[in-house]
Amino acid sequence: MASQSTETLRSRYVEQAASDLAENRRRQQELTDSIAQLKQEEALLTDILSLTERFPGPRPATASDAGSDAGADAGADGETPAPAAPRTRPKTPARTKAAPSSPATGRKRRGKKTAATAHTPRPLLGELLTGLLAQYEEPRLAKELRAELLEKHPDRTPTPQVVRNTLESLVAKGRIQRHKQQRSVMYTLIAQETA
């Protein structure tokens, strides 16, 4: 009898260990996917930062700006100076370069907008997603919406997390509705009443 209970106990331990191992491997895969997703988001944010640095104009101060200012203001004796007063923006913008004047009229020329310099704003991700949801009456998964977005707008490549965050933002604004079915979350467009 003791031998049979030992075998039963041993088989339970083996089953539990196998189950724990499978769960561990599943969790490792989830973490690997999360790391890959975070790397994509980091690359996207790095691209955004590099674009903001290319174009002149006011930009918010970053932690690296504060560190470089503190290092530049440090005295020769190694003491750190008192914090500087906050910088204020001049009321009239300073012009760095005057526009060339026309020799015939003496007037300043304005540059013509060309296809390369004209900037047409891209639609926001939320607008694209609501446009996709408007085509369907039944609820759609975020994964399906992302796949359709990538197909219709190949220049846009948001990560699945960015799509989910945008959809949740639209839910918070009351533009779309969330539906839960078991473990799946689906979204539908809220019908806008016309006056």
Side-chain angles (χ1 to χ4, degrees):
M1 186 72 181
S3 147
Q4 187 177 11
S5 64
T6 305
E7 285 297 318
T8 305
L9 188 60
R10 183 178 295 153
S11 67
R12 285 184 188 167
Y13 280 141
V14 168
E15 288 174 13
Q16 184 63 39
S19 172
D20 289 348
L21 184 61
E23 177 63 20
N24 188 309
R25 287 186 178 145
R26 183 192 65 77
R27 185 72 181 129
Q28 284 180 1
Q29 184 60 43
E30 282 180 4
L31 291 173
T32 302
D33 294 344
S34 294
I35 289 170
Q37 182 177 349
L38 288 171
K39 285 182 180 179
Q40 286 178 343
E41 289 178 16
E42 178 188 21
L44 176 67
L45 292 172
T46 304
D47 290 346
I48 290 170
L49 279 176
S50 68
L51 283 174
T52 58
E53 290 171 356
R54 284 188 202 166
F55 297 103
R59 65 180 179 95
T62 60
S64 63
D65 292 341
S68 64
D69 288 346
D73 294 339
D77 57 351
E79 291 183 33
T80 56
R87 296 180 193 171
T88 57
R89 191 171 176 194
K91 292 186 180 185
T92 56
R95 296 195 177 173
T96 57
K97 188 176 180 182
S101 60
S102 169
T105 62
R107 293 184 183 173
K108 292 183 179 179
R109 289 185 293 169
R110 292 188 179 195
K112 293 182 180 179
K113 288 186 179 179
T114 62
T117 60
H119 177 58
T120 56
R122 294 185 346 172
L124 297 174
L125 182 59
E127 294 171 3
L128 294 175
L129 291 171
T130 52
L132 293 175
L133 279 171
Q135 299 173 2
Y136 302 99
E137 292 182 16
E138 70 277 355
R140 307 287 293 172
L141 290 168
K143 180 171 48 172
E144 296 171 341
L145 290 169
R146 180 178 179 268
E148 191 172 348
L149 177 77
L150 293 174
E151 181 182 318
K152 291 186 177 180
H153 301 276
D155 59 320
R156 305 293 288 259
T157 56
T159 63
Q161 185 65 46
V162 170
V163 171
R164 281 194 298 274
N165 290 348
T166 305
L167 289 169
E168 287 301 318
S169 171
L170 292 171
V171 168
K173 292 177 184 175
R175 295 178 61 191
I176 65 173
Q177 189 173 11
R178 177 191 313 119
H179 307 277
K180 285 194 174 184
Q181 296 178 353
Q182 296 169 348
R183 292 183 61 187
S184 299
V185 179
M186 304 177 95
Y187 303 90
T188 55
L189 188 65
I190 295 176
Q192 299 293 328
E193 296 179 21
T194 55

